[in-house]
Amino acid sequence: MPTIALLTPPAWAEFAGILPGLIPALTALVLILLNVFHRGTESPRDYLAYVASIGLGLTLVTCWVLWDDTLTRPIFHGTLYLDRFSLFFTGLCSASGLLAMLMSPRFLRSHGLDRVEYYMLILLSVSGMAFLVQSADLLTFFVAFEAMSIPVYCIAAFMRRDARSAEAGMKYFILGAFSAALMLYGIAMLYGATGTTNLEVIGETVIGLMTDPASQSANGIIMLGMLLVLSGFAFKVAAAPFHLWTPDVYNGSPTPSVGFMATAVKAAAFAPMIRVLNTAFGHVGQMGAGEAVQMISLRGGFYGYGWIDVLLVLAGASMVLGNLVAITQSNVKRMLAYSSIAHAGYILVGFIASGAEADFFLYHDAVLFYLVSYTFGTLGAFGVLAYFERQGRSVETYDDLAGLGWQFPTIGLLMGTFMFSSAGIPPTAGFVGKLYVFKSAVDVGQATGDLTFIWLAVLAVLTSVAGVYYYLRVLVSMYMYERDEELEGVGHPAAKFALVVCGFFSLYLGILPGGAMDMSRQAVIDMAGAPESIQEVQQDGREALQERLGVADEGGASDE
Amino acid sequence: MESQFTYLGLIVLFPLLGAIINGVVGSRLNRKLVGWIGSGSILLAFFYSLASTLYLYNHGHDSEYGDLTYTAFQWIYAGDLGLDIAFLMDPLTSVMVLVITGVGFLIHVYSIGYMEDDPGTWRYFAYLNLFCFAMLMLVLGKNMLVTFIGWEGVGLCSYLLIGFWYEDDANAVAGQKAFIVNRVGDFAFLAGLFLLYYQTGTFDYVALEQMASTPAGIATMAPVALPAALLIFVGCTGKSAQIPLYTWLPDAMAGPTPVSALIHAATMVTAGVFLISRTHFLFTIDPAIGLTVATVGTLTAFFAATIAVVQDDIKKVLAYSTISQLGYMFMAVGVGAFTAGIFHLMTHAFFKALLFLGSGSVIHAMGGDQNIQNMGGLRKWMPVTALTFLAACLAISGFPLLSGFFSKDLILWSALSNAHVLSIPGLFDGTIPAAALTVEQAQPLASGGPVDVTATSAAFHWFFYIGGLLTAGLTAFYMFRLYFLTFEGECRADEETKAHLHEAPMSMTVPLSVLGILSVIGGWIGWPHFVPKGWLGSGHKGGHGADHAADAGWTIQDVMLGFEHWLDEVFVVSDTFRIVGRFGAHPYSAEMICTAASVLVGLSGIAAAWWVYLKNPGLPKEIADSVEGLYNLLDNAYWVDELYDSLFVQGAIKVGSFFHAFDKIVIDGVVVDGLGWLAEQAGRILSYLQSGDVQRYATYIVVAIVLIVLTILTI
């Protein structure tokens, strides 16, 4: 049943659904107002970062409050969802933006760019992300997608006197626009074939079209449209071979914001990817029947040539390319850029496993958890680089890092945590994230008897071994090489705080992943708009979770 | 739920807080303050242990004290595997917790005086608190994994504290030896644990115990009971220094003496005894397990005692004595006398901690000299130390009415009188499956008459008893050899040392005195049955807990057998269905003979020591010369260290160097460097894609899409 709302004014309860996106946007307006009253061009504007952080903190709290008040039906005439799935991602993106902003003031001042626009752009981007992860319609989806992307292009070019930054912004913008155009073209085709932009209706219509022999000609258009939309996602999550912008953009952009780009943008792109692919193109017919072969062709399955197969190629290519090229880099920022491509590959492994059949839908919680663990590790790593960066002295090659571990013991320790987490060494969050993702691939492989999943997991493990090499090289530089000259010690309490938070979660989620795992599981179970086959799985998962938590509660009660 | 946290959570939390405070800011604090933070945290833990013990006592139902549980957090849930960090407090745990925090507190206070001049005081107290935390985790764990975390934690702290004065290589090496030998045991423990989990699907003690008390459950458990229990037992031999893994303990004496008292005498080394008692339902399933455990215990007790006879280092004597006493405890749990094992664990904690602290006081006074041949007559200078040391010596020798007498006597009596149901002829002669063990009460035993056991079983039990009795004699002998050589006779120290001899400060003598009192009276809650029941008449009212509290009228018998009643419910599965006394229901005369024998043996040991070392001081040398071979054998501890060294250590080194070469040439040279080179070249080629040219990037994207679309649409 498509759950499209009738054309009646939205109920009051629905307005709660736009709060997560509204708060960052309003905060951005507050920042402009505050800035008007700022006196003196030289005085620091750190407080703007704090106000902006409070705004995002408020967004986080809103997500927390709304967690138990989600709706299964789309709001605002079928354009947005308010479900835990979107709240989870909004929360993650807000946290990422918040930490990135806290890392920024000192960096911006030292580059003579202590301006309000920087924080505004991040806030507006987060606002776009909030709507993006909620979108129930390809139109809201596309608008939100651009609302997220355009501020990020501007941030990339923010250090406008720096040629590399300008180049980064330009490249990101051109390629982003190019990819968005392709995506829009894909959306147009889907609209042409189905006559709607609503995800659920597309999902229903697609079945009808695909099973109807009379409309075979539409199949090609739907497939092409889906692939073009998919290419847009692949571009944003930086999966090979759509990754080419990544190293250049990450290298040139202001370092603390790169952390934001690498984590929040990636997470915000994965969320609609899960939603769009599963809702609109996720119907799985019974295997074996003659017409069912047609029906599963959008999703694919191994070598049935659907989106699963495309993503399989992308995942393999991303893991291999990301890790191999990262080895050869001498610039840490570029290395991290390539490693983020590799991470996209690992996430896609979990994505493929959980998307392979409707029955495995709950394995998406591994993807969500991986994104959380990845966020803290990567954000922290870029934060450390930003922490060391001074005007006229960028700290971005391995040589630049030499000996810094001894000079800044706390930061060194934190960097160690981030590198361990990114490399997936226990007891860090990255390890648990990788474990769950790879385990989901192996589990699905065992359940389906399809060896491809196992080989994918093997490839993932092998390539992540290569990853250990370049991550640990950072620590080798920081601790085992002598430094010629001292780096003057200018820190910033907010930046340090943000780094400690990242470090704390990188360890906490590695040692006690239970809570975050449960939240991921709930988010997946609560994802609204999924087709019926998936809804059944969600329902089973909901019951299982209730039973487990219920049993745990009872266990506690019997202790009385 | 809050109340559970107050009871169980705080017991664990205080030592951890102490460790954190001392570890993080301790280096900047005043040394005295560090000591009091360390001691205070244990004292608080002790108060909460007392409170929770009282809670158990007051909230007991009918015939049970019940238990307290507290789930700190749910750790991992993945599929069927659910792991909680959960704590369980039952009467068994309460005894352990009280010993750990009570004796631990005294040792902490003692350490304040002992470590006064050491610059690393904060490090010392941080480790010591951390140790208490880990040890409490070990005993409070509700499932085997929490126990294992504590198990590894105490191993780590032990390693850190043995090598506390790491500037000296020998100490660091001793620490490593302890660590490595323990690793062998831990590996076996872990293997046993997983084996058990694989079969039963749970790590939880309560669930396991329930399983072990139903026929269906036992049928599940029985196939792995023997291997799992033996593997866990190997783990216990590592931690509790039994044959074959005892060699680390004498070396572990390199650490500061209070550490030896706390870790290597009172608490950590008894973890094995505790673990077997905790999983007693597993260890009594198959009689072979118990016999193995008791045999190892008996042999260890005897051989360690023989080695102790010739040692000249005061701490080495005590180390071997500890090994020997631990052997007793294993003998006890092996024959199914878990209460006796735990009882001896407790009294041993009192008097052995006292002995170590006393020896620390002596070493302190002697300026670091540990050789008893250089001492003598120290009583003159250190009366408190001498008096308390004497009390402890009497207790460990089994002098009547002192704590050690009661516990050792109970062990010896149980060793002789206990029998496993399967070893009784005609009862289960192979026709009845193991499952029956839990439902069929051994009916023929209810009649109360003596039981006919198989000859093998009887032989084993006689062996345990005689071995234990001989060890008791040896124990009395070497303890009084130690006492006489140290505190009595002429002082053999040089003049300079003599001038410095002094009694220890208050912070050291007070713990000594408290432990001295405990060593004397600590056993008065576990009299042999013939005294309260045979002589004083059966005044026991039956029923515990609430009944006690309600009428508050304890009979003298209740107190005299208090320890047994307290632990009754813990071992009910084994005691009711599997372990029987073979001398009938009221074997008071046999028990009395047994007691008399052990008293006699103990006293003759003391007398012999007096004769040899005080009366005829030249005699030891003559004896040593006349049986030189034997003396050397004992003095070198049966050359076991050397044997292990040539067998395992050198072997391991050879294998290691082979693999090192293999690693260097094949793995590192060919595989790693080769793969690394390949990866780097591949990466270099791929990075050529990254031309920096936007138009080309866009082209790549288009090409990729076209390729994908063509592939898919052309099928």
Side-chain angles (χ1 to χ4, degrees), chain B residues 578-604:
Chain B
R578 300 181 195 152
I579 304 294
V580 296
R582 59 191 171 106
F583 295 118
H586 304 288
Y588 297 141
S589 43
E591 203 182 358
M592 212 182 321
I593 296 167
C594 181
T595 307
S598 64
V599 170
L600 210 62
V601 168
L603 289 180
S604 31

mmCIF file of all heavy atoms in Angstrom, chain B residues 578-604:
data_model
loop_
_atom_site.group_PDB
_atom_site.id
_atom_site.type_symbol
_atom_site.label_atom_id
_atom_site.label_comp_id
_atom_site.label_asym_id
_atom_site.label_seq_id
_atom_site.Cartn_x
_atom_site.Cartn_y
_atom_site.Cartn_z
ATOM 1 N N ARG B 578 26.423 -36.429 45.195
ATOM 2 C CA ARG B 578 27.605 -37.063 44.626
ATOM 3 C C ARG B 578 28.684 -37.423 45.625
ATOM 4 O O ARG B 578 29.439 -38.357 45.431
ATOM 5 C CB ARG B 578 28.218 -36.153 43.560
ATOM 6 C CG ARG B 578 27.231 -35.906 42.460
ATOM 7 C CD ARG B 578 27.809 -35.055 41.398
ATOM 8 N NE ARG B 578 26.742 -34.540 40.538
ATOM 9 C CZ ARG B 578 26.835 -33.399 39.888
ATOM 10 N NH1 ARG B 578 27.911 -32.671 39.988
ATOM 11 N NH2 ARG B 578 25.846 -33.006 39.145
ATOM 12 N N ILE B 579 28.801 -36.639 46.676
ATOM 13 C CA ILE B 579 29.864 -36.903 47.633
ATOM 14 C C ILE B 579 29.246 -37.459 48.905
ATOM 15 O O ILE B 579 28.315 -36.876 49.453
ATOM 16 C CB ILE B 579 30.641 -35.617 47.961
ATOM 17 C CG1 ILE B 579 31.182 -34.980 46.685
ATOM 18 C CG2 ILE B 579 31.758 -35.901 48.949
ATOM 19 C CD1 ILE B 579 32.223 -35.802 45.982
ATOM 20 N N VAL B 580 29.762 -38.580 49.367
ATOM 21 C CA VAL B 580 29.213 -39.157 50.593
ATOM 22 C C VAL B 580 30.340 -39.418 51.585
ATOM 23 O O VAL B 580 31.494 -39.584 51.207
ATOM 24 C CB VAL B 580 28.493 -40.489 50.306
ATOM 25 C CG1 VAL B 580 27.299 -40.257 49.418
ATOM 26 C CG2 VAL B 580 29.437 -41.486 49.683
ATOM 27 N N GLY B 581 29.990 -39.413 52.854
ATOM 28 C CA GLY B 581 30.957 -39.825 53.871
ATOM 29 C C GLY B 581 30.865 -41.333 54.010
ATOM 30 O O GLY B 581 29.783 -41.874 54.212
ATOM 31 N N ARG B 582 32.002 -42.015 53.902
ATOM 32 C CA ARG B 582 31.888 -43.476 53.844
ATOM 33 C C ARG B 582 31.894 -44.124 55.223
ATOM 34 O O ARG B 582 31.808 -45.330 55.356
ATOM 35 C CB ARG B 582 32.992 -44.067 52.982
ATOM 36 C CG ARG B 582 34.407 -43.771 53.421
ATOM 37 C CD ARG B 582 35.348 -44.198 52.299
ATOM 38 N NE ARG B 582 36.704 -43.774 52.536
ATOM 39 C CZ ARG B 582 37.667 -44.620 52.911
ATOM 40 N NH1 ARG B 582 37.417 -45.881 53.109
ATOM 41 N NH2 ARG B 582 38.891 -44.164 53.080
ATOM 42 N N PHE B 583 32.040 -43.312 56.281
ATOM 43 C CA PHE B 583 32.039 -43.918 57.608
ATOM 44 C C PHE B 583 30.684 -43.809 58.288
ATOM 45 O O PHE B 583 30.576 -43.879 59.505
ATOM 46 C CB PHE B 583 33.123 -43.288 58.492
ATOM 47 C CG PHE B 583 34.500 -43.577 57.987
ATOM 48 C CD1 PHE B 583 35.338 -42.548 57.580
ATOM 49 C CD2 PHE B 583 34.957 -44.887 57.908
ATOM 50 C CE1 PHE B 583 36.605 -42.832 57.115
ATOM 51 C CE2 PHE B 583 36.229 -45.168 57.431
ATOM 52 C CZ PHE B 583 37.055 -44.138 57.033
ATOM 53 N N GLY B 584 29.674 -43.542 57.483
ATOM 54 C CA GLY B 584 28.336 -43.484 58.075
ATOM 55 C C GLY B 584 27.971 -42.096 58.525
ATOM 56 O O GLY B 584 28.684 -41.117 58.259
ATOM 57 N N ALA B 585 26.846 -42.011 59.208
ATOM 58 C CA ALA B 585 26.290 -40.701 59.519
ATOM 59 C C ALA B 585 26.951 -40.039 60.727
ATOM 60 O O ALA B 585 27.087 -38.830 60.793
ATOM 61 C CB ALA B 585 24.799 -40.826 59.755
ATOM 62 N N HIS B 586 27.351 -40.826 61.696
ATOM 63 C CA HIS B 586 27.909 -40.206 62.904
ATOM 64 C C HIS B 586 29.241 -40.838 63.279
ATOM 65 O O HIS B 586 29.371 -41.502 64.293
ATOM 66 C CB HIS B 586 26.921 -40.358 64.069
ATOM 67 C CG HIS B 586 25.576 -39.806 63.750
ATOM 68 N ND1 HIS B 586 25.323 -38.448 63.661
ATOM 69 C CD2 HIS B 586 24.404 -40.426 63.458
ATOM 70 C CE1 HIS B 586 24.062 -38.268 63.337
ATOM 71 N NE2 HIS B 586 23.479 -39.452 63.203
ATOM 72 N N PRO B 587 30.256 -40.641 62.456
ATOM 73 C CA PRO B 587 31.517 -41.339 62.688
ATOM 74 C C PRO B 587 32.401 -40.585 63.678
ATOM 75 O O PRO B 587 33.549 -40.280 63.390
ATOM 76 C CB PRO B 587 32.136 -41.334 61.300
ATOM 77 C CG PRO B 587 31.645 -40.060 60.694
ATOM 78 C CD PRO B 587 30.320 -39.747 61.318
ATOM 79 N N TYR B 588 31.847 -40.285 64.866
ATOM 80 C CA TYR B 588 32.576 -39.380 65.755
ATOM 81 C C TYR B 588 33.878 -39.973 66.266
ATOM 82 O O TYR B 588 34.881 -39.273 66.386
ATOM 83 C CB TYR B 588 31.682 -38.980 66.930
ATOM 84 C CG TYR B 588 30.467 -38.215 66.479
ATOM 85 C CD1 TYR B 588 29.230 -38.414 67.059
ATOM 86 C CD2 TYR B 588 30.581 -37.282 65.440
ATOM 87 C CE1 TYR B 588 28.121 -37.718 66.629
ATOM 88 C CE2 TYR B 588 29.468 -36.590 65.000
ATOM 89 C CZ TYR B 588 28.247 -36.805 65.594
ATOM 90 O OH TYR B 588 27.161 -36.119 65.149
ATOM 91 N N SER B 589 33.884 -41.263 66.542
ATOM 92 C CA SER B 589 35.122 -41.827 67.095
ATOM 93 C C SER B 589 36.220 -41.842 66.043
ATOM 94 O O SER B 589 37.375 -41.514 66.318
ATOM 95 C CB SER B 589 34.866 -43.224 67.655
ATOM 96 O OG SER B 589 34.048 -43.940 66.767
ATOM 97 N N ALA B 590 35.834 -42.185 64.801
ATOM 98 C CA ALA B 590 36.835 -42.189 63.736
ATOM 99 C C ALA B 590 37.400 -40.784 63.561
ATOM 100 O O ALA B 590 38.613 -40.583 63.432
ATOM 101 C CB ALA B 590 36.202 -42.662 62.435
ATOM 102 N N GLU B 591 36.505 -39.826 63.634
ATOM 103 C CA GLU B 591 36.920 -38.434 63.454
ATOM 104 C C GLU B 591 37.896 -38.041 64.558
ATOM 105 O O GLU B 591 38.901 -37.363 64.336
ATOM 106 C CB GLU B 591 35.676 -37.552 63.496
ATOM 107 C CG GLU B 591 35.852 -36.230 62.799
ATOM 108 C CD GLU B 591 34.596 -35.380 62.917
ATOM 109 O OE1 GLU B 591 33.605 -35.863 63.507
ATOM 110 O OE2 GLU B 591 34.629 -34.246 62.441
ATOM 111 N N MET B 592 37.596 -38.523 65.754
ATOM 112 C CA MET B 592 38.429 -38.172 66.900
ATOM 113 C C MET B 592 39.826 -38.759 66.750
ATOM 114 O O MET B 592 40.825 -38.084 66.986
ATOM 115 C CB MET B 592 37.759 -38.697 68.173
ATOM 116 C CG MET B 592 38.041 -37.824 69.367
ATOM 117 S SD MET B 592 37.301 -38.468 70.862
ATOM 118 C CE MET B 592 35.749 -39.105 70.408
ATOM 119 N N ILE B 593 39.884 -40.002 66.313
ATOM 120 C CA ILE B 593 41.190 -40.648 66.113
ATOM 121 C C ILE B 593 41.989 -39.866 65.089
ATOM 122 O O ILE B 593 43.177 -39.586 65.249
ATOM 123 C CB ILE B 593 40.995 -42.104 65.648
ATOM 124 C CG1 ILE B 593 40.298 -42.903 66.752
ATOM 125 C CG2 ILE B 593 42.318 -42.737 65.260
ATOM 126 C CD1 ILE B 593 39.786 -44.244 66.295
ATOM 127 N N CYS B 594 41.283 -39.510 64.050
ATOM 128 C CA CYS B 594 41.925 -38.764 62.970
ATOM 129 C C CYS B 594 42.504 -37.458 63.501
ATOM 130 O O CYS B 594 43.651 -37.092 63.213
ATOM 131 C CB CYS B 594 40.871 -38.509 61.902
ATOM 132 S SG CYS B 594 41.470 -37.645 60.504
ATOM 133 N N THR B 595 41.718 -36.740 64.290
ATOM 134 C CA THR B 595 42.183 -35.476 64.863
ATOM 135 C C THR B 595 43.396 -35.699 65.763
ATOM 136 O O THR B 595 44.399 -34.971 65.673
ATOM 137 C CB THR B 595 41.048 -34.833 65.682
ATOM 138 O OG1 THR B 595 39.902 -34.738 64.876
ATOM 139 C CG2 THR B 595 41.449 -33.465 66.174
ATOM 140 N N ALA B 596 43.277 -36.718 66.597
ATOM 141 C CA ALA B 596 44.382 -37.001 67.506
ATOM 142 C C ALA B 596 45.658 -37.258 66.720
ATOM 143 O O ALA B 596 46.748 -36.769 67.068
ATOM 144 C CB ALA B 596 44.037 -38.198 68.386
ATOM 145 N N ALA B 597 45.525 -38.026 65.633
ATOM 146 C CA ALA B 597 46.713 -38.341 64.827
ATOM 147 C C ALA B 597 47.346 -37.073 64.288
ATOM 148 O O ALA B 597 48.573 -36.889 64.361
ATOM 149 C CB ALA B 597 46.317 -39.263 63.677
ATOM 150 N N SER B 598 46.527 -36.166 63.770
ATOM 151 C CA SER B 598 47.137 -34.976 63.168
ATOM 152 C C SER B 598 47.747 -34.076 64.242
ATOM 153 O O SER B 598 48.791 -33.464 64.017
ATOM 154 C CB SER B 598 46.132 -34.227 62.298
ATOM 155 O OG SER B 598 45.085 -33.736 63.085
ATOM 156 N N VAL B 599 47.120 -34.021 65.423
ATOM 157 C CA VAL B 599 47.720 -33.234 66.506
ATOM 158 C C VAL B 599 49.077 -33.818 66.875
ATOM 159 O O VAL B 599 50.076 -33.101 67.016
ATOM 160 C CB VAL B 599 46.791 -33.213 67.734
ATOM 161 C CG1 VAL B 599 47.521 -32.613 68.928
ATOM 162 C CG2 VAL B 599 45.539 -32.428 67.433
ATOM 163 N N LEU B 600 49.108 -35.130 66.990
ATOM 164 C CA LEU B 600 50.337 -35.816 67.367
ATOM 165 C C LEU B 600 51.447 -35.537 66.355
ATOM 166 O O LEU B 600 52.577 -35.182 66.712
ATOM 167 C CB LEU B 600 50.046 -37.323 67.423
ATOM 168 C CG LEU B 600 50.883 -38.113 68.410
ATOM 169 C CD1 LEU B 600 50.618 -37.606 69.825
ATOM 170 C CD2 LEU B 600 50.574 -39.593 68.289
ATOM 171 N N VAL B 601 51.097 -35.677 65.079
ATOM 172 C CA VAL B 601 52.097 -35.462 64.033
ATOM 173 C C VAL B 601 52.601 -34.029 64.077
ATOM 174 O O VAL B 601 53.806 -33.772 63.996
ATOM 175 C CB VAL B 601 51.486 -35.782 62.655
ATOM 176 C CG1 VAL B 601 52.384 -35.286 61.544
ATOM 177 C CG2 VAL B 601 51.267 -37.273 62.526
ATOM 178 N N GLY B 602 51.671 -33.087 64.241
ATOM 179 C CA GLY B 602 52.077 -31.688 64.290
ATOM 180 C C GLY B 602 53.021 -31.408 65.444
ATOM 181 O O GLY B 602 54.076 -30.793 65.279
ATOM 182 N N LEU B 603 52.644 -31.915 66.631
ATOM 183 C CA LEU B 603 53.467 -31.645 67.797
ATOM 184 C C LEU B 603 54.842 -32.286 67.652
ATOM 185 O O LEU B 603 55.861 -31.686 68.007
ATOM 186 C CB LEU B 603 52.767 -32.168 69.053
ATOM 187 C CG LEU B 603 51.528 -31.371 69.471
ATOM 188 C CD1 LEU B 603 50.908 -31.967 70.714
ATOM 189 C CD2 LEU B 603 51.891 -29.910 69.713
ATOM 190 N N SER B 604 54.889 -33.501 67.070
ATOM 191 C CA SER B 604 56.203 -34.122 66.934
ATOM 192 C C SER B 604 57.044 -33.351 65.933
ATOM 193 O O SER B 604 58.280 -33.268 66.081
ATOM 194 C CB SER B 604 56.093 -35.592 66.543
ATOM 195 O OG SER B 604 54.959 -35.808 65.780
#
